[in-house]
């Protein structure tokens, strides 16, 4: 199996490293030459465009921030749809709207390609360990066709249903995550104000199962000294996480509106992510 991968950020780079380590020949593209150089150093090959990366590959992974970025990667003279060989399968790992996945799947089919909304959950560390969870929407034959690619990075593959189902499931899972962050943040704030340590809060929450390991990882952000949390590098990281959360929650609210479901907790969560992540920008806290 030959793979291409477009988008070498927080999730893409470790997934590529894992694919190469598992013996899958992988060609990469990213707008950042430094990101590509890092993957080449791990054994990947570099391409000059998404379409060039996709040429001759069986599966093309796409992991870029938002719906418009996915469209840009797939479309155009140098896009994946133009460069990929008929019969290849595109696996979109980005968290996108279900309707975007449906539209792109139709375009891919017109070019003789398969497309899955192949959302991932688990984080960079689990990607390197091959312990991600894939949340898939699309045709079963396309899932089967790229099984070695999926197995290289994941310990579990959940085929949620037809195209768009993976995106729907990811939005639901992300909603749980962000509401957990709010619960952890407010519990930490109350504990601190009441004279309790974060350590004792974590010990109690772990003991009864209410605080998960993912919540512990999030809470660690707030253990850093003020100078570290307010540093330019840390604030850039936190701002990136905040923007991702705000986008994901906005998409969850749009899906809820389409489904005629009220999500008041989600609406509130979407307004407080800057505070929860500790972003210091004026007007955002």
């Amino acid at each position: 199996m030959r793979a291409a991968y477009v988008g070498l950020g927080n999730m893409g780079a470790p997934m590529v490293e894992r694919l190469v380590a598992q013996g899958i020949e992988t060609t990469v593209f990213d707008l950042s030459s430094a990101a590509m150089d890092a993957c080449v150093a791990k054994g990947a090959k570099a391409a000059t465009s998404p379409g060039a990366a996709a040429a001759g590959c069986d599966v093309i992974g796409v992991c870029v921030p938002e719906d418009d970025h996915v469209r840009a990667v797939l479309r155009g003279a140098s896009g994946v749809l133009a460069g990929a060989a008929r019969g290849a399968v595109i696996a979109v790992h980005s968290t996108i709207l279900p309707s975007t996945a449906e539209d792109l799947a139709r375009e891919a089919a017109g070019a003789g390609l398969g497309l899955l909304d192949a959302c991932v959950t688990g984080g960079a560390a689990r990607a390197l360990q091959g312990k991600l969870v894939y949340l898939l929407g699309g045709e079963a034959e396309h899932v089967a066709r790229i099984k070695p690619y999926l197995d290289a990075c994941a310990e579990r593959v959940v085929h949620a249903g037809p195209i768009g189902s993976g995106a729907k499931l990811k939005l639901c899972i992300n909603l749980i995550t962000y509401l957990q962050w709010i619960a952890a943040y407010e519990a930490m704030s109350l504990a601190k104000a009441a004279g309790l340590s974060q350590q004792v809060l974590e010990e109690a929450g772990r003991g009864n199962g209410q605080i998960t390991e993912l919540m512990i990882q999030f809470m660690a952000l707030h253990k850093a000294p003020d100078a570290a949390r307010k540093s330019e590098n840390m604030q850039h990281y936190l701002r990136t996480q905040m923007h991702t959360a705000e986008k994901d929650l906005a998409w969850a609210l749009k899906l809820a509106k389409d489904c005629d479901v009220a999500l008041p907790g989600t609406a509130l969560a979407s307004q407080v992510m800057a505070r929860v992540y500790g972003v210091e920008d004026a007007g955002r806290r």
Side-chain angles (χ1 to χ4, degrees):
M1 171 165 283
R2 293 183 60 197
Y5 206 104
V6 181
L8 306 174
N10 184 56
M11 286 300 297
M15 289 175 71
V16 166
E17 184 174 344
R18 178 71 184 182
L19 289 169
V20 172
Q22 294 299 298
I24 294 178
E25 182 181 333
T26 306
T27 304
V28 298
F29 177 78
D30 193 279
L31 293 176
S32 166
S33 57
M36 284 207 292
D37 289 345
C39 286
V40 169
K42 299 291 186 179
K45 298 179 180 179
T48 56
S49 69
C57 289
D58 305 290
V59 54
I60 303 99
V62 177
C63 194
V64 291
E66 300 185 17
D67 300 52
D68 285 345
H69 300 118
V70 177
R71 295 186 186 98
V73 164
L74 264 62
R75 295 171 176 169
S78 60
V80 169
L81 295 180
R86 293 182 68 87
V89 176
I90 303 165
V92 179
H93 303 310
S94 312
T95 302
I96 58 176
L97 284 167
S99 56
T100 300
E102 293 165 358
D103 291 344
L104 293 175
R106 283 191 289 270
E107 292 184 38
L113 305 169
L115 186 141
L116 300 167
D117 44 315
C119 301
V120 293
T121 181
R126 290 175 68 87
L128 285 172
Q129 298 165 2
K131 294 183 177 180
L132 291 175
V133 177
Y134 278 111
L135 314 174
L136 302 182
E139 296 183 19
E141 69 170 283
H142 295 152
V143 176
R145 196 179 302 169
I146 66 168
K147 189 176 186 300
Y149 171 90
L150 298 173
D151 288 346
C153 291
E155 66 178 358
R156 180 170 299 183
V157 175
V158 180
H159 186 192
I163 194 71
S165 299
K168 293 174 184 177
L169 184 54
K170 181 66 185 303
L171 292 174
C172 293
I173 292 294
N174 282 2
L175 174 54
I176 295 172
T177 298
Y178 297 128
L179 291 177
Q180 284 184 321
W181 286 184
I182 293 174
Y185 175 79
E186 295 197 350
M188 286 188 295
S189 299
L190 179 58
K192 181 178 179 180
L196 299 172
S197 70
Q198 185 170 325
Q199 181 178 348
V200 76
L201 173 66
E202 292 179 6
E203 183 180 352
R206 272 176 154 165
N208 67 9
Q210 286 180 299
I211 295 181
T212 67
E213 289 304 311
L214 279 177
M215 293 170 77
I216 293 292
Q217 292 175 29
F218 165 76
M219 294 165 76
L221 294 174
H222 294 274
K223 285 183 175 179
D226 282 350
R229 287 193 298 106
K230 294 179 180 180
S231 68
E232 184 176 347
N233 286 343
M234 178 62 84
Q235 283 294 306
H236 174 75
Y237 170 77
L238 294 174
R239 199 174 300 112
T240 299
Q241 298 300 307
M242 177 196 73
H243 287 318
T244 298
E246 290 177 339
K247 183 265 294 183
D248 291 352
L249 289 165
W251 280 184
L253 287 168
K254 185 180 187 311
L255 179 61
K257 182 178 180 181
D258 293 342
C259 296
D260 197 24
V261 173
L263 300 178
T266 305
L268 176 60
S270 69
Q271 300 175 48
V272 298
M273 283 295 110
R275 179 182 297 274
V276 168
Y277 276 105
V279 173
E280 297 286 340
D281 291 355
R284 294 310 302 266
R285 295 195 71 188

